[in-house]
């Protein structure tokens, strides 16, 4: 072979490697253009067929780079047409097939699925070189995914993975495994999808991380892990901008805009989608432009839907969405955009009171299982809106129940508590429609039932067995060691920087363990929701003055459903912001009062302020509701973590709190137990021994080095009584790693996920571990909520700092009550009745434990 031609061939191969492996598209494009100029300079002095083949390969590579750099479709297809002419001039059928494979990819990326399938099928039929077959199989598998043929896609991805060798193995094998994960996502198996994608990411070149993160974020978005999806897309955008992958960067930005809409950050979402739309328009990417415009409209809808008196704006929005749907219907590959635009239009028409137009758009939306969960649930939301708006409550409730059935099916596939709570994000609109329609009836029982329908769908555990993943266990153990080393450095002068480093590294391991927890599939049943009629029957059977208070926050107001044996009523109490302000003051006062190092005059001032705040909250939440006996509180947001038992009117009376009305089954019975004392609390060993003495003969006492995490976790399983006196920390940003300090480091909430606590009453004599973080969708998450989801009958925990001297007095009294068979809510009320200052302990639990 001519030396000049050989040098050009080497440059083409180098450019190909830079593009495929390193994703340096700009540099690779320059190298392809240089190679083409050098070929021109060689003239006729080289073998024609060989030169034509090299030219065709350079043009194929240039077309691929141009696509990534944002070139328009027509110009890229023109380059590929020229490549095809040179491949035919070289009389090389395999090379012609390669060009057709790349043409198929270009058509796929612009949405022309029929033409893309024709090109890719023809390419694979004539290919004999396995190295060339690998990308073609990958692209045809992606096409099958776009068409919804998941099984055909999986076959192509598996074949691609098995054929990949050498450089292709480095590049395409992880891509095939990643795309298999996407196929699992389309099947609805989100844990399997995340497992496959993370496995592929660990083997892929770093330069491919951006593209992988976009697809992973799509799965996280479907799982409801919205903040994680948004973080992944932000990182992906940064990586793709650095590699100059313009087309993939647009995908990342549009998907991030979708995520921002789901997070109710509609202004930000609209701006981002508008910028992406403009860039796509300039590049001639019609399908991408339509996708971006859809997000712009959905963000506008998100801004309007909660308002009142905006029917004109909603009508204009619906008309714009209808126009977008019509454009999408005439654009190859834009079928999904058309469906989503119909959903936006239908919902906007329905909220504007235009039922006929809403139904017309809705009829264009298939009830196919191939649609993502969010689209299928939204279809039911619109059906419910239309039915309720037309006065057909039965049809509206059927649509609501179909929506909850879809959500429950996904929820059953999820094993980790965090994943179960996150999935509630998909149910927000459905529950709002259900509750608003119930409020419109004026019937308190209907509102109660609507609230509990939504809450029960995402309540309870995700799985019934603890995890057994060795890598996750090692990550958690590593984080524990780092936290313990940081704790031991507290008294060391000048060790603050090292402590900070240890904490950062521990949190990095926590985050890795947290992500691995998403791989776990679910096997727990979805609880049945309580009804007002059922609870009224329970109260009548009890025959006393018990009351259920079911709180909800809607349109800036605190509403409560009061249920007793006589019936139910709905009361509008006050503005949400007003309550939050008083709750904030109360928390600040509780912290000062609990701090024995604060000077007595300042503590006295804080105690008087606390007393005023508790009285104010008591007056607005309880006294006007005529609550004089035992009460069960179902609440969300800041309400769930109020110091309910410390309210003046609750002195000596049972108060049990939960985020939903968990009726449970059976009743708690005293039995085998364990009492634990953590380190660095002078009164903890005395407290644990005193509790064990109450239960003498049936309760183990673990103190000192015996109170290690593994021993405590093992002892908890199957115990009827669990008492832990230890330092506690609620982690607002990562609540599954809220923790209790034990002898060898912290015991995390994450480690208790999946354990059976169905026979347990758990007492946490620790500060703040009754606090919870609210996920988008309303689900609370923290150590206490994890224990309740694991089936604990009741959890007594502090929602603020708890002084050692108070704990040493109160806890043995509480256990004496429990040993006597007193229900947990009553036991706590009796144990703190004589305390001179407010005690921030709350009994969280089932409605049968009050």
């Amino acid at each position: 072979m001519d030396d000049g031609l050989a040098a050009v061939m080497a440059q083409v191969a180098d450019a190909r490697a830079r593009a495929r492996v390193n994703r340096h598209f700009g540099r690779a494009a320059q190298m392809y253009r240089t190679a083409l100029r050098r070929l021109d300079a060689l003239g006729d002095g080289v073998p024609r067929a060989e030169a034509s083949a090299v030219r065709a390969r350079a043009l194929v590579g240039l077309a691929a780079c141009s696509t990534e750099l944002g070139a328009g479709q027509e110009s890229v297809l023109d380059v590929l047409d020229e490549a095809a002419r040179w491949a035919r001039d070289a009389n090389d059928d395999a090379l012609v097939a390669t060009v057709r494979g790349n043409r198929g990819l270009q058509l796929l990326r612009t949405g022309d699925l029929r033409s893309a399938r024709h090109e890719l099928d023809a390419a694979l039929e004539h290919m004999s070189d396995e190295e060339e077959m690998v990308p073609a199989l990958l692209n045809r598998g992606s096409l099958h995914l776009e068409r919804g043929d998941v099984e055909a896609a999986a076959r192509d991805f598996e074949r691609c993975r098995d054929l990949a060798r050498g450089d292709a193995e480095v590049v395409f094998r992880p891509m095939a495994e990643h795309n298999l994960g996407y196929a699992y996502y389309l099947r609805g198996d989100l844990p399997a999808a995340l497992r496959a994608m993370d496995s592929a990411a660990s083997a892929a070149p770093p330069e491919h991380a951006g593209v992988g993160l976009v697809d992973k974020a799509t799965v996280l978005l479907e799982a409801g892990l919205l903040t994680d999806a948004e973080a992944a897309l932000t990182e992906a955008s940064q990586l793709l901008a650095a590699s100059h992958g313009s087309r993939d960067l647009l995908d990342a930005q549009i998907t991030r805009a979708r995520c921002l809409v789901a997070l109710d950050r509609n202004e930000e979402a609209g701006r981002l989608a508008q910028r992406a739309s403009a860039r796509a328009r300039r590049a001639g990417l019609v399908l991408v432009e339509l996708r971006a415009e859809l997000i712009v409209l959905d963000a506008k809808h998100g801004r309007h839907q909660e308002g009142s008196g905006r029917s004109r704006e909603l009508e204009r929005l619906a008309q714009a969405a209808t126009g977008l749907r019509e454009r999408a219907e005439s654009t190859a590959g834009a079928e999904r955009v058309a469906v989503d635009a119909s959903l936006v239009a239908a919902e906007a028409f329905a909220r504007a009171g235009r039922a006929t137009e809403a139904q017309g758009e809705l009829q264009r939306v298939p009830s196919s299982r191939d649609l993502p969960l969010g689209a299928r649930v939204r279809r039911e939301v619109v059906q419910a809106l239309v039915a309720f708006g037309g006065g057909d409550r039965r049809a509206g409730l059927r649509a609501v129940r179909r929506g909850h059935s879809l959500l429950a099916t996904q929820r059953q596939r999820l094993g980790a508590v965090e994943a179960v709570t996150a999935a509630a994000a998909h149910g927000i609109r459905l529950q709002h429609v259900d509750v608003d329609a119930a409020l419109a009836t004026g019937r308190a029982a209907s509102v109660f039932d609507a609230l509990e329908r939504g809450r029960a769908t995402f309540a309870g555990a995700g799985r019934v067995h603890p995890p057994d993943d060795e890598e996750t266990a090692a990550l958690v153990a590593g984080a524990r060691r780092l936290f313990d080393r940081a704790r031991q450095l507290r008294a060391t002068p000048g060790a603050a920087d090292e402590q900070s480093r240890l904490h950062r590294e521990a949190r990095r391991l926590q985050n890795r363990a947290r992500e691995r927890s998403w791989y776990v599939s679910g096997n727990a049943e979805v609880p049945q929701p309580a009804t007002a009629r059922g609870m009224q029957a329970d109260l009548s059977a009890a025959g006393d003055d018990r009351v259920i208070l079911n709180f909800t926050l809607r349109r800036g107001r605190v509403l409560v459903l009061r249920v007793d044996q006589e019936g139910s009523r709905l009361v509008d109490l006050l503005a949400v912001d007003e309550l939050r302000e008083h709750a904030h003051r109360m928390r600040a006062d509780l912290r000062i009062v609990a701090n024995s190092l604060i000077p007595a005059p300042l503590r006295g001032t804080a105690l008087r302020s606390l007393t005023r705040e508790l009285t104010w909250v008591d007056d607005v939440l309880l006294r006007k509701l005529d609550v004089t006996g035992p009460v069960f509180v179902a609440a969300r947001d800041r309400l769930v973590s109020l110091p309910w038992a410390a309210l003046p009117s609750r002195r000596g009376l049972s108060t049990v709190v939960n985020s939903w009305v968990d009726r449970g089954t059976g009743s708690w019975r005293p039995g085998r137990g364990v009492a634990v004392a953590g380190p660095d609390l002078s009164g903890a060993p005395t407290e644990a021994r005193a509790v064990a003495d109450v239960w003498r003969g049936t309760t183990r006492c673990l103190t000192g080095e015996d109170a290690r995490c593994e021993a405590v976790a093992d002892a908890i399983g199957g115990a009827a009584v669990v008492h832990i006196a230890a330092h506690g920390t609620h982690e607002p940003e990562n609540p599954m790693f809220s923790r209790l300090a034990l002898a060898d480091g912290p015991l995390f909430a994450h480690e208790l996920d999946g354990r059976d606590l169905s026979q347990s009453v758990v007492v946490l004599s620790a500060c703040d571990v009754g606090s919870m973080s609210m996920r988008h969708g309303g689900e609370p998450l923290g150590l206490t909520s994890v224990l309740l989801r694991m089936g604990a009958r009741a959890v007594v925990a502090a929602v603020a700092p708890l002084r050692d001297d108070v704990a040493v007095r109160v806890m043995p009294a509480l256990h004496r009550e429990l040993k006597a068979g007193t229900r947990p809510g009553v036991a706590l009320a009796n144990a703190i009745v004589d305390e001179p200052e407010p005690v921030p302990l709350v009994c969280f639990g089932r409605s049968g434990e009050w």
Side-chain angles (χ1 to χ4, degrees):
M1 178 181 292
D2 179 84
D3 289 344
L5 184 59
V8 174
M9 287 182 65
Q11 187 171 22
V12 169
D14 189 17
R16 186 186 192 202
R18 284 180 182 271
R20 279 192 173 182
V21 179
N22 301 319
R23 299 182 64 80
H24 293 167
F25 301 115
R27 176 60 180 144
Q30 291 175 357
M31 293 174 69
Y32 282 127
R33 292 190 182 98
T34 300
L36 290 168
R37 288 194 294 272
R38 292 178 67 183
L39 275 173
D40 290 338
L42 291 175
D44 297 330
V46 294
R48 175 171 178 156
E50 292 178 3
S52 295
V54 174
R55 188 179 294 275
R57 292 187 184 280
L59 289 166
V60 167
L62 179 60
C65 290
S66 298
T67 298
E68 297 293 344
L69 294 169
Q73 175 189 4
E74 290 186 8
S75 65
V76 174
L77 289 176
D78 286 346
V79 174
L80 287 173
D81 286 343
E82 184 181 356
R85 289 194 293 272
W86 286 108
R88 287 192 293 271
D89 188 66
N91 198 27
D92 188 334
D93 290 342
L95 184 53
V96 171
T98 296
V99 176
R100 297 194 73 172
N102 280 270
R103 184 179 178 84
L105 171 60
Q106 176 62 27
L107 292 168
L108 169 64
R109 299 188 78 168
T110 56
D112 189 349
L113 301 187
R114 179 176 296 181
S115 300
R117 173 70 184 272
H118 176 74
E119 295 291 337
L120 288 166
D121 284 348
L124 284 163
E125 182 180 352
H126 293 95
M127 281 181 181
S128 56
D129 184 344
E130 291 183 352
E131 185 178 359
E132 296 294 342
M133 291 174 68
V134 165
L137 285 165
L138 186 74
N139 294 330
R140 191 172 70 175
S142 299
L143 184 148
H144 289 314
L145 286 183
E146 289 284 340
R147 295 177 58 248
D149 192 345
V150 177
E151 301 310 317
R155 287 193 296 272
D156 275 351
F157 292 143
E158 287 166 356
R159 191 177 175 204
C160 171
R161 177 192 62 195
D162 295 341
L163 289 177
R165 300 286 187 276
D167 287 345
E169 182 173 12
V170 173
V171 176
F172 291 111
R173 185 182 180 92
M175 292 174 70
E177 290 181 347
H178 173 88
N179 286 3
L180 273 171
Y182 202 83
Y184 298 146
Y185 152 67
L186 292 179
R187 286 176 181 167
D189 191 346
L190 304 187
L194 291 170
R195 279 198 304 272
M197 287 182 174
D198 283 351
S199 175
S202 67
E207 295 80 4
H208 290 206
V211 175
L213 279 171
V214 175
D215 284 344
K216 180 179 178 180
T218 301
V219 179
L220 294 173
L221 184 57
E222 186 77 352
L225 292 157
L226 305 181
T227 54
D228 298 283
E230 202 267 332
L233 289 162
T234 300
E235 182 182 356
S237 297
Q238 294 168 349
L239 292 170
L240 292 167
S243 67
H244 307 291
S246 299
R247 176 63 173 77
D248 290 324
L249 178 59
L250 280 173
D251 282 339
Q253 291 171 336
I254 291 171
T255 307
R256 180 167 177 256
R258 275 185 60 209
C259 189
L260 292 172
V261 170
L263 285 164
D264 291 329
R265 292 161 58 183
N266 293 295
E267 293 284 353
E268 188 179 354
R271 290 193 298 270
L272 180 60
Q274 283 176 333
R275 291 196 297 270
S277 174
R279 281 193 287 272
R281 189 181 308 115
R282 288 194 295 270
L285 300 172
V286 177
L287 177 57
V288 179
E289 181 185 354
L290 291 173
R291 288 174 54 212
E293 287 184 22
L294 174 68
I295 305 302
V296 172
L297 292 177
D298 211 9
K300 288 181 180 178
H301 181 263
R303 293 198 298 271
H304 289 320
Q305 65 170 315
E306 293 300 316
S308 58
R310 294 186 174 182
S311 59
R312 185 172 300 176
E313 291 92 334
L314 285 167
E315 286 181 26
R316 284 199 291 266
L317 173 63
Q319 295 292 352
T322 300
L324 178 64
R325 185 257 301 159
E326 291 171 350
R327 289 168 56 202
E329 286 174 338
S330 64
T331 303
E335 293 84 1
R336 271 300 314 281
V337 175
V339 167
D340 288 338
S342 283
L343 283 169
V344 174
E347 187 171 352
F349 274 133
R351 292 186 184 278
R354 302 279 292 274
T356 301
E357 291 88 340
Q359 284 283 26
E361 288 297 323
L362 204 57
Q363 288 172 3
R364 298 175 176 276
V365 179
S367 56
S368 171
R369 295 183 62 183
D370 294 333
L371 290 178
L373 175 69
R376 285 182 286 155
V377 173
R378 192 170 193 175
R379 188 177 190 276
E380 301 303 337
V381 167
V382 180
Q383 293 275 29
L385 279 168
V386 171
F388 287 138
D392 190 347
R393 182 159 174 78
R394 287 188 177 182
L397 288 176
R398 285 196 297 272
V400 166
R401 291 188 176 105
R402 288 194 300 268
H404 281 307
S405 178
L406 291 169
L407 292 166
T409 298
Q410 167 150 312
R411 172 249 190 277
Q412 284 183 290
R413 295 188 177 118
L414 305 172
V417 159
E418 184 183 25
V420 170
T421 59
H426 289 300
I428 295 173
R429 285 185 181 176
L430 187 68
Q431 178 150 39
H432 284 176
V433 169
D434 194 8
V435 171
D436 285 348
L439 286 168
T441 69
R443 297 193 296 270
S446 297
V447 181
F448 183 102
D449 294 353
L451 284 173
E452 293 307 313
R453 266 193 294 273
R455 292 171 178 176
T457 302
F458 301 100
R463 58 181 180 272
V464 295
H465 300 292
D468 57 0
D469 178 59
E470 292 183 1
E471 184 170 342
T472 299
L475 290 168
V476 172
R480 179 171 18 257
R481 286 192 296 271
L482 291 167
F483 273 121
D484 194 47
R485 283 169 55 192
R487 179 182 66 85
Q488 294 172 14
L489 288 174
R490 281 187 307 188
T492 303
D497 289 345
E498 177 63 7
Q499 279 186 296
S500 296
R501 187 192 69 79
L502 292 170
H503 282 149
R504 285 195 301 272
E505 178 63 14
R507 290 190 170 89
R508 186 184 68 80
L509 298 182
Q510 284 179 345
N511 286 331
R512 286 177 56 194
R514 174 174 171 262
E515 292 195 9
R516 289 187 66 83
S517 74
W518 303 336
Y519 302 167
V520 181
S521 298
N523 53 17
E525 294 297 319
V526 177
Q528 289 297 310
T531 64
R533 178 179 295 180
M535 297 312 300
Q536 188 177 342
D538 288 353
L539 297 173
S540 296
D544 58 20
D545 57 351
R546 299 185 191 190
V547 172
I548 295 172
L549 299 179
N550 197 337
F551 289 88
T552 185
L553 311 182
R554 192 72 184 115
R555 300 188 186 279
R557 304 292 298 175
V558 179
L559 311 178
V560 63
L561 286 306
R562 184 192 187 281
V563 181
D564 61 19
Q565 59 180 313
E566 301 298 327
S568 56
R569 62 187 170 100
L570 173 66
V571 182
D572 184 333
L573 292 173
L574 75 160
V576 172
D577 289 344
E578 189 177 6
L579 177 63
R580 285 177 175 160
E581 181 181 346
H582 284 273
H584 177 74
R585 292 178 195 164
M586 189 188 304
R587 288 179 181 279
D589 290 338
L590 281 166
R591 292 189 175 278
I592 296 173
V593 170
N595 191 339
S596 58
L597 299 178
I598 297 291
L602 181 56
R603 282 190 71 252
T605 300
L607 180 57
R608 289 189 292 274
S609 173
L610 174 60
T611 301
R612 287 194 300 271
E613 294 299 333
L614 289 169
T615 301
W616 186 90
V617 171
D618 198 14
D619 287 343
V620 299
L621 296 185
L622 295 180
R623 290 187 185 277
K624 67 171 60 176
L625 297 172
D626 190 27
V627 178
T628 58
V631 66
F632 179 86
V633 174
R636 299 294 180 92
D637 199 71
R638 291 288 180 89
L639 283 163
V640 75
S641 294
L642 290 178
W644 289 95
L647 298 180
S649 70
R650 305 312 301 154
R651 181 174 289 271
L653 296 173
S654 173
T655 310
V656 175
V657 183
N658 206 336
S659 61
W660 65 298
V661 181
D662 182 359
R663 297 177 71 182
T665 56
S667 59
W668 177 75
R669 294 287 184 271
R672 180 180 66 81
V674 59
V676 179
D680 302 329
L681 276 175
S682 59
T686 301
E687 180 184 327
R689 285 191 288 270
V691 168
D693 285 345
V694 171
W695 296 94
R696 65 177 62 89
T698 62
T699 296
R700 295 173 60 195
C701 186
L702 301 177
T703 63
E705 286 301 308
D706 292 334
R708 301 176 70 81
C709 294
E710 185 176 358
V712 172
D714 289 343
I716 286 174
V721 180
V722 177
H723 182 96
I724 302 178
H727 282 298
T729 303
H730 174 68
E731 288 283 356
E733 300 303 318
N734 197 354
M736 288 301 293
F737 281 89
S738 296
R739 56 192 182 270
L740 295 164
L742 298 179
D744 58 337
L747 177 69
F748 301 110
H750 171 88
E751 298 175 85
L752 304 176
D753 193 355
R755 295 183 182 274
D756 180 12
L757 301 176
S758 59
Q759 303 305 315
S760 302
V761 168
V762 182
V763 180
L764 300 177
S765 183
C767 297
D768 284 326
V769 290
S771 299
M772 302 184 199
S773 298
M774 304 305 294
R775 301 302 302 263
H776 192 74
E779 293 298 313
L781 199 56
L783 181 58
T784 299
S785 67
V786 169
L787 293 168
L788 291 171
R789 284 178 178 272
M790 295 305 101
R793 307 293 309 187
V795 180
V796 177
V799 295
L802 180 67
R803 285 210 319 266
D804 290 355
D805 62 306
V806 175
V808 169
R809 287 195 304 271
V810 166
M811 293 306 177
L814 170 63
H815 283 275
R816 284 193 291 271
E817 294 282 344
L818 292 172
K819 185 179 182 182
T822 308
R823 291 190 299 270
V826 180
L828 177 61
N830 291 344
I832 65 175
V833 69
D834 294 326
E835 283 295 310
E837 295 180 0
V839 178
L841 288 169
V842 175
C843 181
F844 299 92
R846 301 181 178 183
S847 62
E849 306 305 336
W850 55 319

